[in-house]
Amino acid sequence: MSDAPPDVEVSPAVHRTAEDIGSMEIRGAATIAAAAAEALGEQADVSDADSPEAFRAELRAAARVLYDTRPTAVSLPNALRYVLRDVEGETVERLRASVRASVSEFCRRLDNAQTDLGRVGANRLRDGDTIMTHCHSTDVLACVETAVEQGKSLSAFVKETRPRNQGHITAEALDELGVDVTLIVDSAARRYLNDVDHVLVGADSIAADGSVINKIGTSGLAVNARDRGTPIVCAAQTIKLHPDTLTGHTVDIEMRDEREVVDRETAEGMGDPEVLNPAFDVTPPRYVDAIVTERGQFPPESIVSLMRDLFGEGTTEPWAEA
Ligand SMILES: O=C(COP(=O)(O)O)[C@H](O)[C@H](O)COP(=O)(O)O
């Protein structure tokens, strides 16, 4: 994690949020986006900057601390951009109020987008369907929740999702919604795909070519689903669209600590292998049947048009300024 320059004060609340994102106490792309926006609001609330310039410098420094936590979910920089872009005012007080308004508006839009997306995704699900999930995605759960509210009865195979077992969170959430849940280890997915009507996954980023970047294991699941003829749908609010990919940039895949995978102290008879722990992978668009957003459902190859409408040809990085 990067530190702010010593003369610019970043609030402890921002550092706490950054630590929680880094340790995955706060996790999942939409939740990270909301937490990052709120943290900028907290920075504004506690700032004792004596000039608008100093206030803006603090905000940028806070955004840098948040930006440097995890590299793959583009919802994080998109959230920071949204909040920083709309900040206006000639005095510190006006700037503070402007940040608060911007954060509230951002969080309101995020919630609405998820609700709208849920309605679109629910239209794909029929009464009696069985889904398979990977990881824990609030966008996926929004689709299921709406379908259940519409009176549809659903079952789910929930992949455990090693190494952090986010599938357990999904299992609990689906159970609370009244979905009939079966938890399986990741390697059992193919065995049960014949019994599944839809594979539903979320996204941390979506690239301009329609590739879906999501929790490690998504691409293998998608290839297996295609082989079995099971449709695979990605539920992703437009905040997951990665604008830098419009200009040829690739999405950085986070590599996490090996201790999430293995405890060398207790593992016996393993030797001393290198351990790799990539947190995400890339599913090419040909393995994805549809991307469901709050703007409707898109074939992955057409997502670039939506991305251009929403982000133009590129973006700025306001937090990178000193
Ligand atoms: O890959 C993950 C979470 O990874 P991690 O647990 O490493 O953060 C989720 O599928 C997406 O973030 C979408 O989640 P949501 O739909 O809630 O934005």
Side-chain angles (χ1 to χ4, degrees):
M1 278 181 220
S2 81
D3 289 324
D7 53 329
V8 178
E9 201 161 326
V10 172
S11 122
V14 170
H15 283 295
R16 267 197 306 278
T17 300
E19 274 159 28
D20 286 350
I21 293 173
S23 67
M24 291 174 58
E25 196 66 36
I26 295 172
R27 49 147 300 280
T31 309
I32 288 172
E38 290 289 0
L40 288 183
E42 282 160 357
Q43 176 67 38
D45 285 347
V46 302
S47 170
D48 56 5
D50 55 8
S51 70
E53 295 69 35
F55 181 90
R56 284 183 183 277
E58 279 183 17
L59 267 190
R60 287 195 299 270
R64 271 198 297 279
V65 169
L66 295 161
Y67 176 75
D68 283 341
T69 51
R70 296 187 76 190
T72 305
V74 74
S75 51
L76 171 57
N78 282 346
L80 300 173
R81 263 183 217 114
Y82 183 98
V83 174
L84 294 178
R85 185 193 62 201
D86 286 347
V87 174
E88 281 173 2
E90 303 304 318
T91 64
V92 168
E93 276 323 307
R94 290 214 173 116
L95 284 168
R96 201 189 318 272
S98 169
V99 173
R100 265 288 154 215
S102 181
V103 170
S104 301
E105 178 60 11
F106 175 78
C107 291
R108 192 186 65 78
R109 282 177 178 234
L110 202 63
D111 281 352
N112 288 349
Q114 197 162 70
T115 306
D116 292 347
L117 168 158
R119 283 197 206 102
V120 179
N123 288 336
R124 294 189 66 99
L125 304 174
R126 292 153 306 174
D127 188 30
D129 275 355
T130 299
I131 63 169
M132 184 177 282
T133 64
H134 184 60
C135 197
H136 166 255
S137 157
T138 55
D139 283 350
V140 164
L141 288 171
C143 302
V144 174
E145 185 171 1
T146 306
V148 168
E149 281 166 7
Q150 291 169 345
K152 296 169 187 167
S153 165
L154 300 173
S155 307
F157 284 98
V158 172
K159 289 181 74 215
E160 186 181 39
T161 318
R162 279 272 291 151
R164 296 291 293 254
N165 291 329
Q166 291 94 328
H168 295 188
I169 311 171
T170 302
E172 189 179 347
L174 288 173
D175 183 62
E176 277 169 16
L177 289 174
V179 173
D180 186 9
V181 174
T182 304
L183 185 70
I184 55 171
V185 297
D186 295 307
S187 39
R190 185 179 168 87
R191 178 181 169 88
Y192 293 107
L193 272 171
N194 278 351
D195 303 329
V196 166
D197 300 292
H198 318 262
V199 172
L200 283 184
V201 296
D204 292 85
S205 284
I206 295 190
D209 69 349
S211 295
V212 169
I213 295 90
N214 191 50
K215 178 55 52 190
I216 189 77
T218 303
S219 63
L221 176 61
V223 171
N224 276 328
R226 176 52 46 89
D227 182 51
R228 294 276 164 134
T230 311
I232 172 151
V233 175
C234 171
Q237 304 174 54
T238 55
I239 195 167
K240 318 283 180 64
L241 302 183
H242 203 307
D244 294 345
T245 60
L246 283 169
T247 48
H249 292 276
T250 52
V251 178
D252 198 3
I253 300 293
E254 177 183 13
M255 298 298 293
R256 294 189 61 85
D257 198 290
E258 67 166 34
R259 282 171 295 185
E260 291 186 335
V261 177
V262 68
D263 179 353
R264 287 190 194 265
E265 306 273 299
T266 56
E268 281 174 28
M270 188 182 73
D272 190 24
E274 181 185 16
V275 176
L276 296 177
N277 183 17
F280 302 99
D281 65 19
V282 181
T283 303
R286 65 182 178 280
Y287 295 110
V288 179
D289 289 275
I291 297 176
V292 166
T293 78
E294 75 275 19
R295 299 276 189 125
Q297 169 181 294
F298 294 80
E301 292 81 4
S302 74
I303 207 78
V304 64
S305 316
L306 179 63
M307 208 180 271
R308 285 219 172 87
D309 285 353
L310 294 174
F311 294 100
E313 295 297 323
T315 54
T316 56
E317 295 201 342
W319 53 85
E321 299 160 27

